[in-house]
Every structure is written in C-alpha cells, then in structure tokens.
C-alpha cells in the first residue's frame, strides 16, 4: 500500500483500526550467529513494563530509544542476535514486528522484510520459540507489533496468555479500530500486557484525546501521514502534536514513522518527546546487508549513534 488514504482502517480515523538490569557495554567483535541457546542462569527478575520504563527514564532526564526490527529477516537466528545486541547497546524498549502478508501501515522497506521473512517460512510459533529463549537474556521490555487478524485467528485470550508466558510486555496493533480496542485491552490488561495505541497528524482532537486516554504504556505518535519509512526530515508539526497530547495527558509520548537519523532523534527529543521509535532504517540494515554478520555490525554502529544523540 503506497500510502494510507482517508478511507483506510487506521487507528486515527473514524473507522480505523524495577529498573532494567545493568547493561553490558556494546560489543564490537564478539558477535556470533550461533543458534540461540537456553540460558537458564540468566533468567533474572522479570523485565519491567513499558510505563515503568518511561517513569524511570523521566526521573533520569532521559528519552527512550525504541528500535523496531522484523522477526525472521534475514532469519530468526539473526533476529535473536539483533535483539540481544540492541539491548546491550542501550535500547530502552524493543519493538518486534510480526511479519504479515497485508501490512497496510508499512512502507516498502518493512513490507519487503516481511515478504522475505514469510518466504523463508517464518511463522508465529517459530517466533515464540525464539523469544522464549531470548527474552530471559535481555533487560529491556519487548513490545510486539502485529496486525489484528493474526490475533483474531489465534483467539484474543489465547494470544495474550501465550505472549505473556514468554515475557512480552507490550503490544502495538496498528489496524485495530479504536471502537474495537475494548475487548483487546481487557485481555491485555488481564495478562499484564500494555496495549499501545497510535495517533496521527490527521486525528481530530476529540478522537486523539480518546486514543490517549485508552492507550497503555505510552502514546505512539505517528509523525507523518502515510506508511512507515525513512524520510529526509521530520515535520515541525510534530512539535505541536506532542504539546497537544501532553496538555491532555501525563502519559509518555513516543514518536515514530520516518525517524531515521541521529539528527531526527535529537530534534524530536528536543521537542519534548519521551521516546523515539526507529524502524525502517534498522530493518534496511539487517535485511539488505551482504551477510547477517555485516548487518549486525551495521546495526550496532547505527544503534550507538542514535543512543548518543539522545539525552
């Protein structure tokens, strides 16, 4: 889908859809693509949730770095290594995209990653198996980014309890209509999973306030109209949108879609955002690298550059 038109089912439209453990220094030459292995000794205290993470960062005067990667691109073994790498490089929350065949909110980079992942045979059960091994090894919470249909196919209650059992703390469902979030949210809250909702530049004020009120963990502010993807600059209108949300709520605001450079994260943080979400630029590095090892090296370098640009 080239862009989200006014009639699409997106969350902003009329009918849309503890402390972290101390991190190890970001490593350079110790990356390994060994298959993920159980590390029972590293099963420490449960990871904190999204809202708790933002509360801790606010007390420290920091802004959250939230990278996004697509599960299974180029393969699940590399995804496992990337999750551990992003955590060790100081990510505060990680969004993991579940590949889907009809991703209406995703631009060409993430669509291509999902296509490659699905073609390789990645499925939800395989992603769960990978996460079961990796989650105990990382200190920051993971939020799943998934479309609504896979949740419905599995059954909302079954889906929520399954992802809870492997330690997932947040959920982003870009195509769920606000009017249909109640049942989803009920099951999420029952399983201590924070359901994050999205608002955009075209969301009417009253609807934006309803989305902000219903969102858990943080409010996902889409920085631009259309689909995900790296952009040359971030619209100055985002600053106004951040201010409007903060005037109606104390919930943290994270900005995503089109954030792709250290200058972008620095700019958005300066506008008062509590977090920055970087997706397509991360996915591109992993998916288009000459090898998984090369992709991980580039991912490390990029994550460090973003982290150093934030307060």
């Amino acid at each position: 889908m080239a862009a989200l038109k006014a009639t699409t089912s997106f969350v902003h439209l009329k009918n849309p859809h503890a402390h972290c453990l101390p991190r190890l220094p970001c490593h350079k030459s110790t990356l390994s693509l060994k298959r993920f292995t159980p590390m029972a000794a590293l099963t420490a205290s449960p990871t904190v949730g999204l809202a708790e993470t933002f509360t801790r960062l606010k007390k420290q005067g920091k802004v959250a770095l939230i990278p996004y990667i697509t599960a299974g691109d180029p393969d699940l073994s590399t995804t496992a290594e990337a999750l551990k790498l992003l955590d060790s490089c100081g990510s505060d929350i990680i969004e993991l995209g579940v590949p889907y065949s009809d991703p209406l909110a995703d631009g060409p980079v993430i669509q291509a990653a999902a296509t490659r992942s699905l073609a390789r045979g990645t499925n939800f059960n395989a992603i769960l198996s990978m996460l079961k091994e990796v989650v105990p090894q990382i200190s920051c919470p993971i939020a799943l980014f998934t479309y609504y249909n896979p949740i419905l196919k599995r059954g909302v209650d079954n889906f929520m309890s399954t992802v809870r059992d492997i330690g997932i703390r947040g959920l982003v469902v870009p195509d769920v209509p606000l009017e249909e979030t109640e049942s989803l949210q009920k099951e999420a809250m029952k399983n201590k999973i924070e359901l994050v909702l999205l608002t955009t530049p075209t969301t009417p004020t009253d609807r934006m306030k309803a989305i902000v009120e219903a969102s858990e963990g943080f409010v996902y502010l889409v920085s631009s109209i259309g689909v995900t993807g790296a952009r040359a600059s971030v619209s100055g209108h985002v600053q106004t949108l951040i201010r409007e949300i903060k005037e109606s709520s104390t919930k943290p605001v994270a900005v995503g879609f089109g954030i792709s450079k250290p200058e972008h994260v620095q700019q958005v943080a300066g506008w008062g955002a509590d977090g920055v979400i970087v997706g397509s630029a991360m996915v591109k590095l992993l998916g288009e690298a000459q090898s998984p090892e090369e992709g991980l090296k580039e991912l490390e370098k990029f994550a460090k550059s973003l982290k150093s640009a934030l307060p």
Side-chain angles (χ1 to χ4, degrees):
M1 211 167 183
L4 291 174
K5 298 190 173 69
T7 54
T8 51
S9 214
F10 201 45
V11 75
H12 68 292
L13 299 178
K14 286 185 179 177
N15 183 26
H17 283 142
H19 295 275
C20 279
L21 300 174
R23 295 187 175 93
L24 298 173
C26 207
H27 45 338
K28 279 200 178 290
S29 58
T30 55
L31 286 174
S32 159
L33 288 190
K34 293 177 183 175
R35 291 297 181 262
F36 36 87
T37 53
M39 295 185 69
L42 289 185
T43 309
S45 56
T47 307
V48 299
L50 312 185
E52 290 174 89
T53 297
F54 278 104
T55 298
R56 172 179 59 82
L57 292 171
K58 187 173 183 179
K59 288 177 180 174
Q60 298 171 350
K62 294 182 178 179
V63 173
L65 174 61
I66 309 174
Y68 168 104
I69 57 173
T70 300
D73 185 46
D75 55 57
L76 282 174
S77 178
T78 305
T79 300
E81 294 299 328
L83 290 171
K84 291 183 280 188
L85 174 64
L86 290 169
D87 179 59
S88 71
C89 286
S91 300
D92 299 292
I93 295 166
I94 301 173
E95 270 188 34
L96 181 65
V98 177
Y100 183 54
S101 57
D102 186 23
L104 67 87
D106 292 321
V109 171
I110 295 178
Q111 279 195 27
T115 299
R116 289 191 297 264
S117 179
L118 292 170
R120 186 177 277 272
T122 302
N123 58 51
F124 193 61
N125 286 334
I127 294 170
L128 292 176
S129 296
M130 179 273 293
L131 286 171
K132 189 174 182 181
E133 305 297 349
V134 173
V135 169
Q137 301 179 46
I138 66 177
S139 60
C140 71
I142 293 177
L144 284 185
F145 185 107
T146 180
Y147 287 88
Y148 198 19
N149 194 48
I151 298 176
L152 293 175
K153 283 178 76 173
R154 202 173 184 96
V156 175
D157 54 346
N158 181 45
F159 180 92
M160 294 296 180
S161 61
T162 300
V163 299
R164 174 205 63 202
D165 289 346
I166 60 168
I168 294 301
R169 302 306 304 267
L171 186 64
V172 183
V173 187
D175 62 338
V176 64
L178 177 63
E179 292 75 13
E180 293 179 27
T181 57
E182 192 174 340
S183 60
L184 196 60
Q185 196 164 49
K186 183 180 176 183
E187 287 298 325
M189 292 177 76
K190 190 163 75 176
N191 289 282
K192 295 182 169 55
I193 293 169
E194 291 159 289
L195 180 63
V196 178
L197 302 183
L198 299 86
T199 183
T200 81
T202 59
T203 305
T205 302
D206 288 347
R207 188 171 184 82
M208 177 271 286
K209 289 179 179 178
I211 290 169
V212 170
E213 176 68 26
S215 190
E216 297 290 333
F218 64 91
V219 177
Y220 193 135
L221 173 58
V222 175
S223 70
S224 57
I225 302 167
V227 294
T228 60
R231 290 167 173 81
S233 61
V234 183
S235 168
H237 185 46
V238 170
Q239 184 174 14
T240 303
L241 295 172
I242 293 170
R243 186 173 65 247
E244 288 177 357
I245 294 171
K246 287 182 172 290
E247 284 172 356
S248 66
S249 173
T250 58
K251 290 179 182 176
V253 181
V255 178
F257 284 49
I259 312 296
S260 61
K261 303 175 183 177
E263 308 91 85
H264 291 170
V265 303
Q266 195 169 44
Q267 184 178 43
V268 171
W271 287 340
D274 302 289
V276 290
I277 302 163
V278 182
S280 293
M282 296 268 181
V283 172
K284 189 178 178 73
L285 289 176
L286 279 176
E288 299 182 9
Q290 293 297 310
S291 68
E293 293 90 347
E294 183 62 30
L296 288 166
K297 284 180 184 177
E298 291 301 315
L299 186 72
E300 176 184 351
K301 190 188 306 180
F302 184 50
K304 288 172 73 175
S305 72
L306 296 174
K307 187 69 177 177
S308 64
L310 288 171

